[in-house]
Amino acid sequence: INAEYMGKKAHARHGRESQQQCPAMISNRKDLNQALPAPEGGTRHDEPEDIVKAAKLDGLLGLVVWLGACYGTMSVWWLFLNYPLFEWYPDLVKPWWAPPPWLVFPIGAFTFTMQGFSMWICFREGAGLERHLLTIACFGAQLGTGIGWAGFFFGARIFLIAFSINIGWWVCGLATLVEMWAGEDGAGLAGWIFLPTFAVITYIGALTFTIKAMN
């Protein structure tokens, strides 16, 4: 009985000592983790929430996501443009600087590709999602208003509404450009990559207004 009692007492004392040592062990582990250099080509995270905060669409998967979103939008565009572009658009009264039908798709493919790369560049230099929420919102809005313009210009063929939507499209494009230029790290470069898209949006607005006036 005495042996059993002494064993239980020793076990309890060992448990209390372990509990007292745990905070110190945890603290020492954090200090050691902070003192150790980050692994080459990567970053060190102390807590699970740090891993979540560090999530970035900066790799190959991010490029696929942004290009996929832009090419998906371009596919919706092509649903509106495919038939009218070659059957209805050539018969419109247009200014001399209006693009021929065969040039529309290459220009669209180029601009949508640049849009995907511009958003990808935003996340290349350590900028996580939480730092670019407004940029993402403006970018998504300009994609949506662009679809609206295509739907009313080539689909419904209501030029006045198409031009009104183009004004909103231009504002969203400008906001996206400003957000990219105002961003840190690689976001400034992203703004320059997005600039041709904004120029095309401006050009489309001028063309829509002119076609509305001439027809």
Side-chain angles (χ1 to χ4, degrees):
I1 295 175
N2 289 337
E4 182 179 357
Y5 172 76
M6 294 300 295
K8 290 182 179 180
K9 186 175 181 181
H11 180 73
R13 183 172 64 252
H14 178 71
R16 288 193 300 270
E17 293 176 353
S18 299
Q19 291 177 357
Q20 293 174 357
Q21 293 175 357
C22 279
M25 293 172 62
I26 294 174
S27 177
N28 291 336
R29 184 181 62 185
K30 289 184 177 180
D31 294 339
L32 179 62
N33 188 38
Q34 293 173 358
L36 290 175
E40 183 177 358
T43 56
R44 182 183 62 248
H45 306 291
D46 296 328
E47 300 295 339
E49 54 268 24
D50 294 334
I51 299 176
V52 176
K53 291 179 181 179
K56 304 182 294 292
L57 292 176
D58 64 347
L60 180 60
L61 177 60
L63 180 60
V64 171
V65 168
W66 294 120
L67 287 179
C70 293
Y71 289 152
T73 303
M74 185 176 67
S75 299
V76 178
W77 265 62
W78 195 245
L79 292 177
F80 291 116
L81 271 65
N82 189 20
Y83 177 79
L85 184 62
F86 296 98
E87 300 296 332
W88 166 76
Y89 175 77
D91 296 331
L92 288 174
V93 181
K94 300 180 292 295
W96 62 268
W97 42 272
W102 61 267
L103 190 58
V104 172
F105 182 79
I107 293 176
F110 171 77
T111 55
F112 279 111
T113 301
M114 291 297 98
Q115 289 181 64
F117 272 101
S118 66
M119 288 302 293
W120 180 59
I121 290 295
C122 280
F123 297 87
R124 285 293 298 165
E125 301 297 334
L129 284 170
E130 70 281 355
R131 292 174 58 185
H132 285 301
L133 291 179
L134 184 56
T135 306
I136 294 173
C138 295
F139 182 78
Q142 71 88 21
L143 287 180
T145 48
I147 291 176
W149 173 86
F152 277 97
F153 187 89
F154 285 98
R157 303 175 187 179
I158 305 176
F159 299 145
L160 181 60
I161 297 180
F163 179 69
S164 300
I165 294 176
N166 183 265
I167 295 176
W169 186 14
W170 188 88
V171 171
C172 293
L174 179 62
T176 303
L177 187 63
V178 170
E179 281 298 314
M180 287 180 174
W181 271 339
E184 301 176 5
D185 303 318
L189 175 60
W192 289 108
I193 296 176
F194 185 80
L195 188 59
T197 298
F198 182 68
V200 170
I201 295 173
T202 305
Y203 171 82
I204 289 176
L207 182 62
T208 302
F209 179 82
T210 306
I211 291 178
K212 168 66 176 66
M214 297 177 69
N215 291 268

